Amino acid sequence: MALPLPRPLHALTPPELETAAKDRRWPKWQTMALLRSLNLPVLNACLIQPGDSAAALRTAVHVLAAATGMETLMIRSDGGMEKRQYYRGGNTFPVEEIGQRAAGLLADGRAVILAEPTNRFTNRLTVLVRMDRPAPGRPGSLTLEALGPGYDVADLTRGQIPPQITAQLDDVDFARYQPPRWYEWSITGDRCPGGEKARRTRRLERLAAQTLTDSGHLDGEAGAAQAEAWLRQRSYPHLFGPQPTREALAVRARRLFEDAFLLARSQPNRNWLCLATAFSVFEQPRTVYWDLVDGERKYAAAEPAATGHRERAA
């Protein structure tokens, strides 16, 4: 019997989304399906699993490109319970390059998630949303960490870049809905002298060493100055302009609380302790949630370091 060919996330029926949201083999895809089933904004995407044929990969590229009307696609990957070092995806490539780039990931036993492209250089707001469940001696809480124009999710999740603005809501019971009042929010900014300059430099260094190198725009020897020149030459000045992050976060804090409560209530692991998701506001403007991470299930137990390309980090 012929195997079903990949279909875009936005074409899946509610029962198909429910099935995908319960499949723990590929956590990123699982939570994208959950987000879609809850009518929360998420990128359209296709899943290609290890062992799928080259024809399935070509079909996924064709179908998703047609569905999005794009000539480029984003490559993400999913390794299940990840090691601390794994492929850092999220870059966009022309459709004719997707097959070759995805083949190596599939050969490594990783699933490939092809997604509609985004421009990570023109984001208007990036927020990391953390939900801590009440526990003995510890009240529940919701924490929002935000970066403004020109930054992206990876800066907060693995770039060691401190947020510009942090909003904290304490005494949150995710089992009992109670809308917050404005005075209950604690909103603080980064008060480190020279903090914004250091933050911007770190962002540029990451772009040079990872994003722009992986996409072939710069070589591995480039640094912050080369990344800045690349952005300015392409009219991407967002990182160097005003950073109205406090205001942008404040107008979305209530919505983020509502969505976090919904996600907490819909989490398949009913015994979760800490959940996190990331939220982006693009330039269009368009909003997107990325993944929902269960803190206890993000990483596998430590293993001896693999060799060669199996431990690559773009």
Side-chain angles (χ1 to χ4, degrees):
M1 183 175 66
L3 294 175
L5 293 174
R7 293 168 58 218
L9 180 69
H10 290 188
L12 299 183
T13 64
E16 289 171 329
L17 288 171
E18 182 179 359
T19 298
K22 293 178 180 177
D23 188 344
R24 292 173 52 188
R25 293 176 299 166
W26 313 116
K28 291 187 182 73
W29 182 253
Q30 175 192 13
T31 60
M32 290 178 77
L34 176 64
L35 290 164
R36 176 66 178 171
S37 71
L38 296 173
N39 292 320
L40 294 177
V42 63
L43 294 175
N44 201 1
C46 277
L47 175 70
I48 303 95
Q49 304 180 59
D52 284 351
S53 67
L57 175 57
R58 289 194 300 269
T59 298
V61 172
H62 174 77
V63 169
L64 187 59
T68 59
M70 299 292 182
E71 296 180 354
T72 60
L73 294 175
M74 180 193 301
I75 294 182
R76 308 184 72 202
S77 77
D78 199 334
M81 295 286 281
E82 298 284 12
K83 302 173 185 177
R84 295 285 172 175
Q85 291 291 325
Y86 64 95
Y87 177 79
R88 311 300 187 181
N91 287 331
T92 296
F93 304 97
V95 292
E96 59 268 19
E97 296 182 18
I98 297 295
Q100 180 181 0
R101 291 180 175 273
L105 295 168
L106 294 168
D108 279 351
R110 300 185 63 83
V112 170
I113 299 174
L114 301 181
E116 57 183 299
T118 66
N119 187 337
R120 66 197 313 170
F121 311 117
T122 61
N123 292 336
R124 295 171 59 181
L125 180 69
T126 295
V127 185
L128 186 63
V129 183
R130 171 171 171 155
M131 296 153 267
D132 286 283
R133 196 174 192 172
R138 186 194 70 193
S141 63
L142 174 70
T143 305
L144 309 177
E145 296 182 340
L147 291 170
Y151 292 93
D152 70 19
V153 167
D155 293 322
L156 287 169
T157 58
R158 54 179 180 260
Q160 299 179 333
I161 295 179
Q164 293 164 328
I165 300 295
T166 300
Q168 178 87 22
L169 188 64
D170 292 322
D171 296 324
V172 179
D173 183 354
F174 289 102
R176 183 172 61 88
Y177 176 78
Q178 183 173 341
R181 300 175 177 87
W182 278 113
Y183 65 81
E184 295 176 314
W185 289 94
S186 172
I187 302 179
T188 58
D190 181 9
R191 299 186 178 92
C192 178
E196 192 54 44
K197 180 180 179 180
R199 184 182 293 107
R200 186 168 56 246
T201 299
R202 176 60 180 156
R203 165 66 169 165
L204 292 169
E205 290 173 344
R206 286 194 66 253
L207 289 177
Q210 299 176 16
T211 304
L212 296 177
T213 296
D214 184 46
S215 57
H217 295 295
L218 295 177
D219 61 43
E221 302 300 319
Q226 289 78 15
E228 179 174 350
W230 188 92
L231 290 172
R232 291 188 183 277
Q233 288 168 4
R234 287 154 182 81
S235 299
Y236 296 147
H238 307 69
L239 188 65
F240 314 107
Q243 296 283 324
T245 311
R246 179 184 291 269
E247 295 82 358
L249 180 62
V251 300
R252 291 174 173 83
R254 176 61 180 267
R255 172 192 167 176
L256 291 170
F257 169 82
E258 302 282 350
D259 292 349
F261 190 89
L262 176 62
L263 286 170
R265 294 287 290 171
S266 305
Q267 169 58 223
N269 174 20
R270 306 312 300 170
N271 296 315
W272 67 272
L273 298 176
C274 176
L275 300 175
T277 188
F279 175 83
S280 293
V281 180
F282 300 146
E283 191 174 33
Q284 281 86 337
R286 176 188 177 188
T287 61
V288 160
Y289 280 101
W290 293 90
D291 305 315
L292 179 64
V293 176
D294 186 336
E296 293 184 314
R297 298 183 178 184
K298 170 67 173 176
Y299 295 111
E303 298 177 3
T307 59
H309 63 280
R310 296 183 66 86
E311 287 295 321
R312 68 193 149 168

